[in-house]
Amino acid sequence: MKTKGALLRELNTPWKIEEIEMGDPKAHEVKIKMHAAGMCHSDHHLMTGGIPMGGFPILGGHEGAGEIIEVGEGVTDYEVGDHVVLSFIPSCGKCPSCHAGMANLCDFGAMLLQGEAVSDHTFRIHSADGENVYPMTLLGTFAPYMVVHEASVVKIEKDIPFEVAALCGCGIPTGYGSSTRSGDIRPGEDVAIVGVGGVGTAALQGAVIAGARNVFAIDPVEWKREQALKFGATKVYASVEEAAGDIAGITHGAMCRKVIVTVGEVHGADVDKWMGLTAKGGTCVLTGMGNMLESEVTLNLAMLTLLQKNLQGTIFGGANPKLDIPLLLSMYKAGKLNIADMITREYRLDQINEGYTDMLEGRNIRGVIRYTEEDW
Ligand SMILES: NC(=O)c1ccc[n+]([C@@H]2O[C@H](COP(=O)([O-])OP(=O)(O)OC[C@H]3O[C@@H](n4cnc5c(N)ncnc54)[C@H](O)[C@@H]3O)[C@@H](O)[C@H]2O)c1
Ligand SMILES: [Zn+2]
Ligand SMILES: [Zn+2]
């Protein structure tokens, strides 16, 4: 079918809405009519080249929700009419990581950036000129229709608003899981969240729910700091430098048992200062990303060793999509997790560049694209 999507044709150029040809679902694939797509910072890394895909053009978007309108051969867990979240992490349910309860490390993840469908290694999406189109993390939620493998979809209850569900494809589980799973925050611990955008605000809520004593939020944008206080931060700071002395005073020099780093652009040169906020025996969780090709890190190795600190990477916050997405949405329904207030503004697909400018200029916690009759 002919539809449209937000494509990147080369680095450092705006998203362009173009006609695309969406293939039919093959075995173990489903076709989805999209209702909402979240605008995560990681799609901006596609534009800068920080996250390199297998080729161009790229169809962006890795956070979204919609309804199934067609199922391919062999699909037994889903049917037409089901509401689903598109998870940027596929979970096959069969590989060692999936069996070990670490579906965020599913073997299908090896193909996240290659653009081909995991089912048969062919391309499902083509441009009007017939070129292969590379969908972000096997998804491409910046289009009103998608054809994806069943490993990438998670069924949800039908009374959940699509825009709320959309954020559970990446930002919410990644942030919440960074605190509660990868960070394993325990009651009474002091925690710092560095960068309170979409992922960081979910991490902040995770830290509060986990029972942290103090949750220090650090962000250069004043409005973000104000929002962080509403989401439960104990104290807020504009920079790590400003925070360090005050946190040392409050914690009697112990610093933070857990530091969750959710800044938009991670640079190796900043790692040492985040480790400086981290208590002896504590853990610094690196959730934010920078340029994938960067490999230089500033890190005092003696302090890492002698103060027995941990530097922990995380993808998807260590969460299991098919377990944690429904769990997080049930917490939303129970009023325990505030997802609705994290959606600052809604956009049409053709306003996508405006949405990313708002993100970069600090005006959004999360921007969401809403699809309507005009798009379908
Ligand atoms: N590991 C994963 O699985 C995963 C998943 C999703 C997103 N990410 C990454 O997480 C990061 C955050 O994503 P997001 O969508 O929340 O982005 P965002 O742009 O919404 O939020 C980033 C926040 O960091 C703040 N910030 C920028 N520089 C800072 C600094 N030096 N100190 C403190 N705060 C600073 C910004 O003001 C902003 O509020 C991105 O790098 C994204 O690629 C990783
Ligand atoms: Zn994301
Ligand atoms: Zn798997």
Side-chain angles (χ1 to χ4, degrees), residues 36-64:
M39 299 169 75
C40 176
H41 201 112
S42 298
D43 291 292
H44 183 70
H45 293 313
L46 295 174
M47 186 182 283
T48 60
I51 297 182
M53 293 273 306
F56 289 96
I58 296 169
L59 171 62
H62 66 281
E63 210 181 69

Side-chain angles (χ1 to χ4, degrees), residues 140-372:
T141 59
F142 297 161
Y145 291 96
M146 295 174 55
V147 171
V148 298
H149 194 274
E150 57 183 333
S152 298
V153 302
V154 178
K155 201 187 297 196
I156 59 167
E157 290 173 9
K158 290 191 177 164
D159 57 349
I160 293 170
F162 283 113
E163 68 279 10
V164 165
L167 268 56
C168 288
C170 174
I172 300 289
T174 300
Y176 183 87
S178 294
S179 286
T180 60
R181 285 187 175 266
S182 298
D184 192 23
I185 293 170
R186 296 299 169 113
E189 289 183 344
D190 290 329
V191 175
I193 312 288
V194 191
V196 276
V199 177
T201 302
L204 166 56
Q205 293 198 61
V208 172
I209 290 169
R213 180 176 60 169
N214 289 299
V215 186
F216 307 109
I218 301 168
D219 200 294
V221 178
E222 189 182 0
W223 179 78
K224 295 281 176 78
R225 299 198 294 277
E226 288 167 13
Q227 298 307 302
L229 289 168
K230 290 186 192 160
F231 283 97
T234 321
K235 280 197 90 173
V236 293
Y237 308 94
S239 67
V240 172
E241 290 74 9
E242 186 192 316
D246 199 51
I247 293 176
I250 293 170
T251 62
H252 306 291
M255 307 308 279
C256 299
R257 287 291 299 172
K258 307 287 159 60
V259 174
I260 316 293
V261 179
T262 42
V263 303
E265 298 286 333
V266 164
H267 299 292
D270 293 329
V271 170
D272 211 42
K273 67 180 182 189
W274 299 326
M275 291 297 272
L277 283 181
T278 310
K280 61 184 175 187
T283 298
C284 176
V285 178
L286 267 188
T287 308
M289 292 187 54
N291 191 313
M292 252 190 212
L293 302 177
E294 186 180 320
S295 56
E296 303 261 318
V297 175
T298 304
L299 183 60
N300 185 312
L301 292 176
M303 287 300 147
L304 182 79
T305 303
L306 299 175
L307 298 182
Q308 205 174 292
K309 295 187 185 183
N310 306 287
L311 183 57
Q312 173 71 54
T314 187
I315 180 160
F316 206 66
N320 292 291
K322 300 209 183 204
L323 171 72
D324 286 306
I325 291 174
L327 178 74
L328 290 164
L329 286 170
S330 74
M331 289 171 68
Y332 157 78
K333 277 177 75 169
K336 305 279 183 196
L337 190 64
N338 185 352
I339 303 179
D341 288 341
M342 287 178 56
I343 301 167
T344 314
R345 207 183 139 188
E346 296 189 351
Y347 301 85
R348 294 188 314 270
L349 182 62
D350 62 20
Q351 293 175 305
I352 183 167
N353 291 302
E354 200 182 321
Y356 271 103
T357 302
D358 286 342
M359 181 197 79
L360 293 171
E361 294 186 354
R363 288 190 284 271
N364 286 351
I365 296 181
R366 216 20 147 224
V368 168
I369 293 167
R370 286 304 306 248
Y371 297 104
T372 64

